[in-house]
Amino acid sequence: MTWRLAVSTVRIRSGDIGRGRADVLDAGLAVISAGLIVGTVAAFVWPALRTSVYAMGLDTLLDTIATLVTIAVAVLMSTRFRERGEPVALVLAGAFVVLAIANAVAVLLVIAHIDDGPVAAGLPSGQGPAYVSAMAQLLAASLVVVGLWAALRGATANYPWIVVVAPAAGLLMVILLIVRFNPELAPLSAPYVPPDLQGSTASQLVPVSTPLGWLLGAACAVLFFLGAVMSRRLYRHTSSISDAYLAVGLVFAGFAQIHLALSPEVYSGLISGGSLLRVGFDIALLLGIQAEVSATISSLRQANQDLARLKDAEADRAALEERARLARELHDGLSQDLWLAKLKVGRLSSLSAPGSEAAELAGEIGGAIDAGLADARQAVIALRWTGDGETSFDQQLASYVDDFADRSGLQAEFVGDQPLRRMNPRAEAELLRIAQEALNNVRRHADATVVRVSTTTGAGSLRLGVVDNGRGFDPASAGDSAFGLLSMRERAGLIGGLLTIESRPHDGTRVWVDVPLACIAAAPSPVPS
């Protein structure tokens, strides 16, 4: 029940985070759209705002960047399809391949000196590049809408690579037709000569869109806006960050079509407001690629952390199983043999004459066997401790101290300043063994009457203490020669702790173990997705 409640809580929180991010996207889209609407209305009302600038080098650079960006997005989407099997990614890959081809054609026309700028401004033969761009934008916008619609409907792709290859092949065929019938094509724009500029040169002509140009631009704009709405809806379903940036980019693309209809770019090198909005589209796509890569890296890092926790949990489980096996063998083997030896020694003692050397020897052997049985019992208790959550560590420690008091005849007590938080099984087992070893030393060597075991939680650390009122010793003289002390130090080091021994002759012994809480905290279990 607790596990299910934890999973439900995590899912609820994840849903809250997803809704919060969607609200941020909606707010961002609203702000961007409002700003672009204001700018578009202003450009429509005041023609002076539609000023175009001739800069062949900058225009070619922007087309080159757009080509690289669209190719990168196409690669990203195809990779997303291979990894996740999302049909929308495949269709979007086809759409951006189409845009990449159109941008590459614009760059090649300049490199080949086919479209040399203002000299073709008023010529019907200069409509070819405009047709290529318009057809590519219309085809790409249609693919975006179809892909997003398929994603929202949960459709599958039956012939995946045809979705990418067919649009690209179709655009190449359209380009060939445009080249073949370029002189007969209806113009998408025409030069407009203001009354005060009669007799102007071609570079002074003001291009305006024809009804056909307005129709194509409006159709592309509507499709891009529709794609933005659908991408926003898809983001609410998938929470994929690339869908959010795609929605923003499509808003820029839609307004770019409107501005290009207001100020058509009839030849290469002409930069208008539509060109700048296309830059916004490219920037949004680049940010989407970066965000997608960052999200993928973050997911991989989280997956690696989950795998590491699973590996640790599996190692702990194997260790617990091995400890349980050893406890069974110790109980069923060594303990039973010691009990049998004790019975035999008891029988031998009863057969020996009282006060004889044999009776004294039998008594010594019986005492040694009792000590061995006590050690075996302690080992079984430590090995059987699994830290499964049914009994907390401080409860287990208190139970062991009570058992020690009953067996040893010493006055032993456990004091904890507060209930201990959950620790990992390895830390609990090592701390319990350290306490057992310290209590064994008290029983065997300290000649004490009172021993106190305590746990205190300070600023970021846990302290386990075993204090007795025995005869004490000089820790410097013992060094690391005492196996028990060396064992306790090693166990403390295994869990990132530090063992400190304070003692003087005739002044008792104080054993302290300080462990950072970060080293012994229970690792959270990975939440099922």
Side-chain angles (χ1 to χ4, degrees), residues 45-103:
V45 174
W46 292 289
L49 298 177
R50 308 176 202 168
T51 303
S52 299
V53 178
Y54 178 72
M56 177 65 77
L58 179 59
D59 186 43
T60 304
L61 175 63
L62 293 179
D63 287 337
T64 303
I65 293 174
T67 303
L68 297 176
V69 171
T70 47
I71 290 175
V73 176
V75 172
L76 174 66
M77 290 301 171
S78 60
T79 303
R80 182 173 168 182
F81 171 76
R82 288 197 304 269
E83 297 298 328
R84 305 181 187 176
E86 299 175 356
V88 60
L90 195 64
V91 179
L92 291 177
F96 286 105
V97 166
V98 168
L99 292 177
I101 292 174
N103 293 324

Side-chain angles (χ1 to χ4, degrees), residues 358-408:
E360 293 178 2
L361 184 59
E364 292 176 0
I365 295 174
I369 291 175
D370 287 337
L373 281 170
D375 290 342
R377 183 174 180 179
Q378 293 174 19
V380 169
I381 292 174
L383 289 171
R384 286 193 178 277
W385 168 244
T386 60
D388 55 6
E390 297 179 0
T391 304
S392 64
F393 174 72
D394 45 355
Q395 290 173 334
Q396 177 75 7
L397 189 56
S399 176
Y400 177 78
V401 171
D402 291 340
D403 181 73
F404 173 81
D406 292 338
R407 289 184 290 101
S408 64

Side-chain angles (χ1 to χ4, degrees), residues 68-410:
L68 297 176
V69 171
T70 47
I71 290 175
V73 176
V75 172
L76 174 66
M77 290 301 171
S78 60
T79 303
R80 182 173 168 182
F81 171 76
R82 288 197 304 269
E83 297 298 328
R84 305 181 187 176
E86 299 175 356
V88 60
L90 195 64
V91 179
L92 291 177
F96 286 105
V97 166
V98 168
L99 292 177
I101 292 174
N103 293 324
V105 167
V107 174
L108 291 175
L109 289 177
V110 174
I111 294 175
H113 301 287
I114 297 175
D115 189 2
D116 285 330
V119 297
L123 301 177
S125 60
Q127 297 295 323
Y131 262 97
V132 172
S133 177
M135 292 297 103
Q137 296 289 331
L138 185 61
L139 180 57
S142 301
L143 287 171
V144 167
V145 172
V146 170
L148 293 172
W149 175 83
L152 292 172
R153 300 269 298 182
T156 58
N158 295 326
Y159 304 99
W161 294 112
I162 294 180
V163 178
V164 177
V165 174
L171 178 62
L172 293 175
M173 185 174 295
V174 169
I175 292 174
L176 293 176
L177 292 175
I178 291 173
V179 173
R180 170 66 178 81
F181 299 102
N182 186 27
E184 290 81 18
L185 293 175
L188 299 180
S189 61
Y192 169 69
V193 182
D196 58 340
L197 292 178
Q198 294 293 333
S200 299
T201 62
S203 61
Q204 295 174 301
L205 298 179
V206 179
V208 294
S209 294
T210 63
L212 179 59
W214 271 105
L215 178 62
L216 290 176
C220 290
V222 170
L223 289 173
F224 280 130
F225 289 142
L226 181 59
V229 173
M230 298 173 74
S231 184
R232 174 251 181 200
R233 287 184 57 192
L234 185 63
Y235 175 68
R236 284 186 170 270
H237 288 295
T238 64
S239 296
S240 177
I241 190 65
S242 60
D243 293 331
Y245 280 99
L246 179 61
V248 175
L250 291 176
V251 170
F252 278 99
F255 280 99
Q257 294 300 313
I258 297 176
H259 280 261
L260 288 173
L262 287 172
S263 301
E265 299 175 358
V266 296
Y267 52 81
S268 297
L270 198 60
I271 299 177
S272 65
S275 299
L276 299 180
L277 290 175
R278 282 182 177 177
V279 172
F281 173 63
D282 294 336
I283 291 175
L285 295 180
L286 282 174
L287 292 176
I289 293 173
Q290 186 272 334
E292 182 79 12
V293 171
S294 298
T296 301
I297 293 175
S298 178
S299 298
L300 288 174
R301 186 180 296 113
Q302 183 62 43
N304 287 333
Q305 292 174 355
D306 291 342
L307 287 174
R309 284 196 292 268
L310 287 173
K311 180 180 178 181
D312 292 340
E314 180 64 19
D316 289 340
R317 185 190 65 80
L320 291 175
E321 290 179 354
E322 182 64 16
R323 285 166 51 191
R325 183 188 66 81
L326 291 174
R328 288 192 301 269
E329 292 183 358
L330 192 59
H331 179 271
D332 298 338
L334 179 60
S335 296
Q336 299 297 331
D337 292 340
L338 288 174
W339 274 109
L340 179 60
K342 183 176 181 179
L343 293 176
K344 296 293 185 181
V345 168
R347 183 180 178 186
L348 179 61
S349 178
S350 65
L351 296 176
S352 302
S356 65
E357 183 179 356
E360 293 178 2
L361 184 59
E364 292 176 0
I365 295 174
I369 291 175
D370 287 337
L373 281 170
D375 290 342
R377 183 174 180 179
Q378 293 174 19
V380 169
I381 292 174
L383 289 171
R384 286 193 178 277
W385 168 244
T386 60
D388 55 6
E390 297 179 0
T391 304
S392 64
F393 174 72
D394 45 355
Q395 290 173 334
Q396 177 75 7
L397 189 56
S399 176
Y400 177 78
V401 171
D402 291 340
D403 181 73
F404 173 81
D406 292 338
R407 289 184 290 101
S408 64
L410 300 178

